[in-house]
Amino acid sequence: MADINLLIQSAIPWVLYIFAILGAIVCLMQKDLLRMAVLTSITGFVIAAIYQVLLAPDVALTQAVVGAAIVPTLVALTVLKTREEPVSKEEGDS
């Protein structure tokens, strides 16, 4: 029973590492910037979970607030504010 617990405790960080790396790769492959901001948030939560598993709760809390909430929100707001309206044919001819 102790061997199973040790195996689970050592496997959890590796599973989180894989999720964080895959989340970052999927985030980089996105064409839509709003979708990228959401995936950045998910990756930030996974990184916060990694810090929590590695017994750094203060860093995990900071990562959850900054990396998973504030930065993606600011990126999404910036994308929404800087998007250009599509130009119709009638407006483009003049």
Side-chain angles (χ1 to χ4, degrees):
M1 190 69 171
D3 292 336
I4 294 173
N5 288 336
L6 183 62
L7 180 66
I8 291 172
Q9 287 177 353
S10 64
I12 289 175
W14 287 103
V15 170
L16 290 173
Y17 297 153
I18 292 170
F19 278 139
I21 292 169
L22 290 177
I25 291 170
V26 170
C27 181
L28 288 172
M29 293 171 50
Q30 296 301 311
K31 299 286 185 204
D32 184 23
L33 294 177
L34 287 177
R35 187 175 295 158
M36 182 266 315
V38 170
L39 290 172
T40 302
S41 177
I42 294 169
T43 304
F45 275 123
V46 172
I47 293 172
I50 290 171
Y51 285 133
Q52 184 65 35
V53 167
L54 295 176
L55 300 176
D58 52 342
V59 181
L61 183 61
T62 303
Q63 174 65 28
V65 171
V66 174
I70 294 175
V71 170
T73 302
L74 291 177
V75 169
L77 287 174
T78 303
V79 168
L80 289 174
K81 291 287 186 178
T82 58
R83 278 204 172 156
E84 294 181 6
E85 294 293 324
V87 178
S88 65
K89 277 205 162 231
E90 292 85 28
E91 293 176 15
D93 290 338
S94 57

